[in-house]
Amino acid sequence: MTANTGVSEMSQSSTGRLVPTVYHIPVCPFSQRLEILLTLKGCRHLVDFHVVDITRPRPGWLLEKTQGTTALPVLETEDGGIIKESMVILGYLEDRYPEPAVFQRDPYRHAVEGMMTAMEGEFTAWGYRYVLNQDPSKRDEFRRGMLQRYAGLNDFLTRHNPDGTFLFERFGLAETVFTSIFMRFWFLEYYEDFDLPYKERYARVRKWRETCLAHPAAQQVMREEIVKV
Ligand SMILES: N[C@@H](CCC(=O)N[C@@H](CS)C(=O)NCC(=O)O)C(=O)O
């Protein structure tokens, strides 16, 4: 600690080498979830975020660190350790900055949030395929598929916390993982005119989604940026 500011040595060195660095692409939902977690923990300043220019091929120094893979985010620890995959990085950050806990500590509850976060990959992939689809005859199929996936989330939330808002009592891991994807799916509203119908079938997930989107720890990007980028 420094005597005059009370700021930890780690944060003081935020322009130096003594903090972890995340290499990321702006407006990337997988990077945003890291920022959300750190914000919930009050630790955002303890990690440097280094923007990588996506209009150019990945620089050699970065490919050397990643051993040739291009997907970001990647976290580099102070001593040069490389961690890939946002879910894995979230786990590292949770272990590294354990208080306040964002992940559930009870093993069963952690398994439940794990089951919910395991639904994210397919949910996200479908939304991306939907927006990239160029075939008008497939639009309905994509819309139905998206609704089915929202219904799956609705059922999961209803099973585990029928009357609440979040999966558990507060914004936690499941919310950290899905919120940036919900934001990214503003592109479906804009380009495909897709939104959840105001029906009982989706009421639980709608409440969850709206509260997640409005959460103060998740305000790193604006709707306009997402639609444009
Ligand atoms: N499963 C990865 C997905 C990361 C990912 O797809 N990142 C995108 C940016 S949003 C990317 O880097 N795409 C370019 C590439 O894969 O080369 C994670 O969760 O970290």
Side-chain angles (χ1 to χ4, degrees):
M1 298 287 266
T2 47
N4 53 348
T5 62
V7 177
S8 76
E9 207 175 292
M10 296 284 281
S11 85
Q12 250 210 339
S13 329
S14 66
T15 54
R17 295 189 307 275
L18 291 179
V19 292
T21 303
V22 169
Y23 299 97
H24 77 122
I25 295 170
V27 200
C28 162
F30 307 104
S31 303
Q32 192 193 354
R33 61 174 60 144
L34 310 183
E35 289 196 76
I36 294 174
L37 184 85
L38 289 165
T39 305
L40 288 166
K41 291 177 170 294
C43 288
R44 172 63 185 81
H45 61 292
L46 295 183
V47 176
D48 266 350
F49 277 71
H50 179 103
V51 173
V52 174
D53 184 351
I54 44 165
T55 64
R56 294 163 182 271
R58 297 277 188 278
W61 59 262
L62 185 57
L63 292 171
E64 213 169 288
K65 289 182 194 298
T66 62
Q67 305 211 307
T69 61
T70 55
L72 298 175
V74 164
L75 182 142
E76 181 174 23
T77 65
E78 297 89 317
D79 46 12
I82 294 292
I83 308 175
K84 302 178 194 180
E85 287 297 326
S86 59
M87 294 303 297
V88 180
I89 301 172
L90 284 178
Y92 171 79
L93 294 172
E94 177 75 11
D95 289 343
R96 174 112 188 229
Y97 309 110
E99 299 299 334
V102 173
F103 289 31
Q104 293 294 316
R105 291 283 162 84
D106 171 77
Y108 176 69
R109 285 175 154 231
H110 183 52
V112 170
E113 67 187 358
M115 287 191 282
M116 191 159 199
T117 59
M119 297 163 83
E120 176 270 331
E122 230 274 302
F123 181 81
T124 304
W126 190 267
Y128 274 82
R129 283 177 60 200
Y130 184 7
V131 81
L132 292 172
N133 168 50
Q134 303 282 327
D135 179 350
S137 73
K138 292 202 170 136
R139 285 185 73 196
D140 270 355
E141 183 191 330
F142 276 110
R143 185 172 181 282
R144 278 197 307 275
M146 203 70 246
L147 287 176
Q148 263 170 23
R149 285 157 181 84
Y150 270 108
L153 295 178
N154 196 88
D155 291 347
F156 195 90
L157 290 162
T158 304
R159 180 170 319 122
H160 293 284
N161 190 1
D163 303 319
T165 299
F166 299 120
L167 174 58
F168 294 109
E169 295 78 20
R170 56 185 164 71
F171 191 108
L173 175 61
E175 289 74 21
T176 299
V177 167
F178 275 93
T179 301
S180 61
I181 303 299
F182 290 147
M183 287 183 166
R184 184 47 80 108
F185 282 5
W186 282 329
F187 60 37
L188 290 177
E189 282 175 42
Y190 187 85
Y191 292 108
E192 294 294 330
D193 208 16
F194 172 86
D195 201 7
L196 277 174
Y198 280 87
K199 287 186 180 162
E200 191 52 33
R201 184 73 189 93
Y202 309 106
R204 180 65 183 87
V205 70
R206 170 183 290 286
K207 179 165 76 164
W208 187 56
R209 187 182 71 161
E210 285 175 0
T211 311
C212 287
L213 288 172
H215 195 278
Q219 302 308 310
Q220 293 82 7
V221 285
M222 312 277 288
R223 183 184 291 253
E224 204 187 332
E225 284 176 281
I226 286 178
V227 170
K228 279 189 190 154
V229 175

